[in-house]
Amino acid sequence: MDVNRSVSGEREADRPSAPMGPWRFVVWFGTVSLLADFVYEGARSITGPLLASLGASALVVGVVTGAGEAAALGLRLVSGPLADRTRRFWGLAIAGYALTVVSVPLLGVVGVLWAACALVVAERVGKAVRSPAKDTMLSHATAATGRGRGFAVHEAMDQIGALVGPLLVAGVLALTGDDYGPALGVLAAPGIAVLMLLFWLRGRVPDPEAYEREAEAAVSTPAAPQVPDGRLPRAFWAYAGFTAATTTGFATFGVLSYHLVERHLLTAAWVPVLYAAAMAVDAVAALATGWLYDRVGPRVLVALPVLTAAVAALAFTNTVVIAVGGSLVWGAAMGIQESTLRATVADLVPSGRRATAYGLFAGVVGAASLAGGALTGGLYGYSIPVLITVVVAIQVLAVVLLTVTRVARR
């Protein structure tokens, strides 16, 4: 009997006799993300108004939502190396999804600000636990499908859930007179489906790295550059700097929705509808930039700082149409952040260090997210023109850093 373990820590004998194709794996994992996004994007669509209803100021909303993103990204400094060291990608992915789908329904019933803030952060911690493992498994499958297209299709499926979840929450809010408990409680059902599907998919594909090994063997695909002593490539660090810069000027949707409700531009029930529309734009932007990335490379990422600057200039106006348009631009920028940025990491870093790279990359971006949430929330209360000026200046710096990344990659 064969007792040699595969790279993922599973026994070779446990592999299915008819392995799932790489595109099917991407689509099924996309379905997992679709259901998970149904849950947590439904909750995130009303985080700003929910916290405000419990007494939070704009600064508190900015700090808490920024801290949540920092937790979702910064804690990957631990979960990424842990995934590389243990090779237990499936176990970490399942544990992270479980934490998220448990936290969200509780958010609607706690009733006090400190507990709600803690659950907002806890939901994001679940993302931190699962994401390096999930992204690494996807990176193996996208070696066969095309990095940009594979990550883009996965992100587009994410956004189906991110579209439906907020719409359901909006409908329940409208029916219950803005009662957040039932609106968040209905999200428990897709959360259960997430866990059931994950266990099934793990049984079908215990070793996703096989996709990348087979792709390299079939077409002699060059691996990402190896660096002595296991260090990450210089281009990776330059790229992390670019992403951190552009993220620092990126407002959270919590701050955007706070502005819309507090300035009486939209009611709380309409905020999830706008969020759903932004997620639809997210999906289109992900597919477009993913397709372009496979053809022209990282140059397509110059769109991100341009869009980030546009968000600040448009979303914080007092005109409904312009502010709504700025929120849709926010969705386009999110589409690039959640798909093409991750695809680039896979092309810069060899397989054996990839989960660590995703963790480190996210940690850098997490610190920038916290800074960005506090920066935009704080400047919003001080002066919106100053907020716009600062964000635009940061995005100019980001464009410079993107140029440095391209030079370092050569």
Side-chain angles (χ1 to χ4, degrees):
M1 181 176 66
D2 185 3
V3 295
N4 292 323
R5 289 190 178 273
S6 67
V7 176
S8 68
E10 303 290 342
R11 294 182 183 276
E12 296 287 343
D14 290 337
R15 293 183 183 180
S17 57
M20 183 181 292
W23 267 119
R24 287 187 63 200
F25 180 79
V26 169
V27 170
W28 275 115
F29 222 132
T31 305
V32 170
S33 293
L34 183 157
L35 292 168
D37 273 42
F38 192 118
V39 176
Y40 70 79
E41 297 290 14
R44 291 180 74 197
S45 71
I46 56 171
T47 296
L50 171 63
L51 295 181
S53 73
L54 297 174
S57 66
L59 178 59
V60 170
V61 173
V63 170
V64 170
T65 54
E69 293 309 306
L73 298 168
L75 291 179
R76 297 182 210 186
L77 290 167
V78 177
S79 61
L82 180 63
D84 271 339
R85 185 170 64 254
T86 65
R87 315 305 288 175
R88 296 189 180 277
F89 299 113
W90 279 115
L92 289 167
I94 291 169
Y97 277 112
L99 180 57
T100 288
V101 301
V102 168
S103 298
V104 166
L106 293 176
L107 184 61
V109 299
V110 290
V112 293
L113 181 58
W114 70 266
C117 291
L119 285 169
V120 168
V121 175
E123 183 274 309
R124 298 282 82 192
V125 169
K127 189 173 181 66
V129 171
R130 70 179 179 261
S131 289
K134 179 200 72 174
D135 287 345
T136 300
M137 289 191 287
L138 281 171
S139 77
H140 297 318
T142 58
T145 64
R147 300 283 192 207
R149 285 173 294 174
F151 274 98
V153 167
H154 179 268
E155 171 64 10
M157 294 188 69
D158 271 6
Q159 300 322 304
I160 296 174
L163 174 66
V164 176
L167 288 177
L168 176 63
V169 168
V172 176
L173 284 175
L175 290 173
T176 61
D178 292 342
D179 188 342
Y180 292 105
L184 293 169
V186 297
L187 301 176
I192 294 171
V194 166
L195 298 179
M196 293 175 63
L197 185 54
L198 276 169
F199 280 109
W200 173 80
L201 190 56
R202 180 186 183 278
R204 291 296 308 276
V205 188
D207 180 25
E209 192 171 356
Y211 292 127
E212 187 161 349
R213 294 195 298 268
E214 292 169 6
E216 291 173 353
V219 298
S220 300
T221 302
Q226 300 289 337
V227 179
D229 302 322
R231 291 178 288 116
L232 296 172
R234 183 179 62 177
F236 165 79
W237 292 109
Y239 181 66
F242 153 71
T243 310
T246 194
T247 303
T248 298
F250 194 64
T252 66
F253 191 79
V255 176
L256 298 185
S257 61
Y258 182 94
H259 169 75
L260 291 167
V261 173
E262 291 300 305
R263 297 296 178 95
H264 305 291
L265 301 177
L266 292 180
T267 64
W270 275 103
V271 169
V273 177
L274 176 59
Y275 189 81
M279 293 300 97
V281 174
D282 177 320
V284 173
L287 290 171
T289 56
W291 182 85
L292 285 171
Y293 177 82
D294 284 340
R295 284 156 179 77
V296 303
R299 285 179 293 175
V300 70
L301 294 173
V302 73
L304 184 55
V306 173
L307 292 174
T308 298
V311 169
L314 300 174
F316 293 113
T317 64
N318 290 322
T319 303
V320 175
V321 173
I322 297 176
V324 167
S327 297
L328 297 180
V329 173
W330 179 89
M334 281 295 296
I336 300 174
Q337 284 189 355
E338 295 293 329
S339 60
T340 313
L341 287 184
R342 292 185 291 147
T344 306
V345 172
D347 280 337
L348 291 174
V349 181
S351 176
R353 295 281 288 164
R354 199 168 293 157
T356 297
Y358 275 120
L360 290 171
F361 177 76
V364 172
V365 178
S369 295
L370 177 57
L375 177 71
T376 54
L379 289 180
Y380 176 85
Y382 174 72
S383 168
I384 290 178
V386 171
L387 187 159
I388 295 170
T389 301
V390 170
V391 169
V392 170
I394 293 172
Q395 299 317 300
V396 171
L397 173 62
V399 172
V400 173
L401 290 172
L402 180 60
T403 303
V404 172
T405 301
R406 292 177 59 193
V407 172
R409 194 180 184 188
R410 292 173 183 169

